[in-house]
């Protein structure tokens, strides 16, 4: 608009000033190497105005042309994006319906024109994996990585999940290790780490992520406790099988206070020390545990104490006797069982017998206890107790036996005397 106004003013000025300078208008001479151009001042103004008009016209034509081209380009781009969005939605629907082949084609077809091409390629990879095409799944993941770059958490999560589905545990383990470096507090990464480490029995690695898992809220208290116990058992078994009794003791000395306060870990260590025939170390740890914890916290320890071999002057034996005298009624039988087994193993049957009698009177004997009680009764020549235990054992056997079929009564006919004589 300004340019048109400028040209109009220029032409108007030429028309107005032309009469005034018609008598002495002078001229303009433009001389080049081979040509001389002469014109009046008025003609120069008119020529300048025409030249400017031509330039402005050409500029408008070019702008109009390129504007149409850009609009056409934008129209085609918008059309592709809308089509990609529609195909993505249709692909997700097919994926929900279980038609993974169709879903992969729809989601991946115009993935580069979608709003989130990385997510399209990830979903296409998941669909390909669901139908068992590992090659296509890996291809889509490579495309996603090209767009997202090397440090995309979403792509690495998808890669790790797909490797796990493919059953490639070593590769999945390597992928989740890298993923935890990239996103150590990501809840989904921690979930995958738990599953992969459990399947590959990598308990040391799983132990390293327990603290991060505990700070997240995706596991319930019961689930986290079960995971902790699984890790503790896995570590103890691994050390026992590889390093034996010395390795167990060295491992225990290096544990943090959180683990040393756990009765479950203490009992697990005592059990494995007994399994490796190190009753001395097991007794020391059991003594420390009984001193530190109350009766209601030692439920897991009582069965392991019945396996211990301790001498008559043992501090643990003295402490157990003292605790049994002060224990509440519902824990007295637990101490009685432990003391009865310890005395029986030491050959002090007369001291062991009262404890088994107590268990029998309170009906707290299980099959294993009755067998040991019978042995103690035989060693002390208490035949009345022997007969009582045998009768109870027979009663338990009769109760356990359930008839599997009804037996038809058989009619027995008397044999004639003649046949007997013959």
């Amino acid at each position: 608009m300004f340019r048109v106004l400028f040209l109009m003013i220029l032409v108007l000025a030429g028309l107005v000033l032309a009469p005034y300078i018609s008598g002495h208008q002078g001229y303009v001479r433009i001389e080049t190497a081979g040509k001389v151009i002469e014109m009046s001042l008025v003609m120069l103004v008119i020529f300048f105005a025409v030249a400017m008009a031509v330039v402005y016209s050409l500029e408008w034509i070019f702008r109009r042309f390129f504007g149409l081209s850009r609009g056409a380009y934008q129209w085609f781009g918008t059309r592709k994006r809308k089509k990609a969005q529609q195909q993505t939605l249709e692909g997700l629907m097919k994926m929900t319906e279980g038609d993974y082949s169709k879903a992969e084609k729809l989601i991946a077809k115009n993935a580069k024109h979608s709003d989130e091409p990385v997510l399209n390629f990830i979903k296409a990879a998941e669909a390909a994996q669901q139908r068992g095409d590992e090659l296509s799944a890996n291809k889509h993941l490579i495309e996603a990585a090209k767009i997202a770059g090397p440090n995309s958490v979403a792509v690495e999560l998808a890669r790790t999940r797909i490797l796990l589905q493919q059953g490639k545990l070593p590769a999945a383990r390597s992928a989740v290790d890298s993923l935890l470096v990239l996103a150590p507090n990501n809840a989904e990464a921690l979930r995958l780490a738990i599953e992969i480490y459990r399947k590959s029995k990598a308990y040391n690695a799983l132990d390293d992520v327990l603290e991060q898992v505990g700070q997240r809220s995706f596991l319930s208290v019961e689930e986290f406790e079960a995971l902790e116990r699984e890790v503790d058992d896995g570590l103890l078994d691994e050390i026992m099988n590889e390093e034996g009794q010395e390795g167990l003791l060295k491992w225990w000395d290096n544990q943090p206070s959180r683990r040393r306060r756990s009765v479950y870990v203490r009992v697990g260590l005592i059990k494995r020390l007994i399994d490796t025939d190190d009753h001395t170390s097991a007794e020391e740890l059991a003594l420390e545990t009984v001193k530190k914890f109350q009766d209601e916290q030692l439920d897991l320890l009582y069965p392991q104490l019945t396996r211990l071999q301790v001498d008559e002057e043992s501090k643990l034996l003295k402490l157990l006797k003292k605790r049994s005298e002060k224990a509440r009624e519902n824990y007295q039988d637990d101490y009685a069982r432990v003391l009865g087994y310890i005395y029986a193993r030491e050959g002090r049957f007369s001291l062991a017998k009262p404890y088994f009698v107590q268990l029998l009177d309170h009906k707290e004997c299980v099959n294993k206890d009755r067998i040991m009680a019978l042995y103690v009764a035989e060693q002390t020549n208490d035949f009345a107790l022997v007969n009582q235990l045998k009768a109870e054992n027979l009663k338990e056997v009769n109760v356990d036996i359930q008839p599997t079929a009804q037996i038809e009564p058989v009619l027995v006919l008397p044999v004639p005397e003649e046949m007997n004589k013959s």
Side-chain angles (χ1 to χ4, degrees), residues 297-314:
Q297 298 173 288
L298 301 177
D299 288 336
L300 298 173
L301 180 62
Y302 298 128
Q304 300 306 320
L305 292 178
T306 62
R307 302 174 60 208
L308 267 178
Q309 296 177 8
V310 297
D311 58 40
E312 184 178 351
E313 300 299 323
S314 166

Side-chain angles (χ1 to χ4, degrees), residues 353-364:
K353 188 175 74 170
Y355 294 111
F356 285 106
V357 170
Q358 176 182 332
L359 292 176
L360 289 167
D361 291 342
H362 294 174
K363 301 188 184 302
E364 289 291 332

Side-chain angles (χ1 to χ4, degrees), residues 40-163:
S40 65
L41 187 60
V42 173
M43 289 301 296
L44 177 64
V45 172
I46 295 172
F47 174 77
F48 180 74
V50 171
M52 291 293 294
V54 171
V55 170
Y56 288 158
S57 299
L58 290 174
E59 181 188 6
W60 179 83
I61 291 171
F62 279 112
R63 285 182 60 191
R64 186 72 175 177
F65 174 76
F66 286 113
L68 288 173
S69 300
R70 184 168 60 251
Y73 177 78
Q74 291 176 347
W75 181 83
F76 281 112
T78 303
R79 181 175 178 275
K80 287 181 179 180
R81 282 196 299 273
K82 288 182 178 179
K83 187 176 180 181
Q85 185 178 8
Q86 181 181 358
Q87 288 178 335
T88 300
L89 293 175
E90 290 176 3
L92 292 175
M93 290 295 294
K94 291 294 182 183
M95 197 168 180
T96 305
E97 294 170 3
D99 189 353
Y100 298 109
S101 178
K102 187 69 174 177
E104 180 192 356
K105 291 179 182 178
L106 287 169
I107 294 173
K109 189 172 183 181
N110 287 309
K112 292 184 178 180
H113 300 291
S114 66
D115 294 335
E116 296 292 342
V118 174
L119 295 181
N120 274 58
F121 282 118
I122 289 175
K123 285 298 180 182
E126 292 176 355
Q129 179 58 38
Q130 287 294 333
R131 63 184 183 85
D133 190 349
E134 296 183 4
L135 185 62
S136 295
N138 294 334
K139 178 183 175 183
H140 293 312
L141 285 176
I142 291 172
E143 292 296 327
K146 287 180 182 178
I147 299 173
N151 295 323
S152 171
V153 176
V155 175
E156 293 305 314
L157 280 171
R159 186 194 310 280
T160 306
R161 194 180 299 111
I162 287 175
L163 286 171

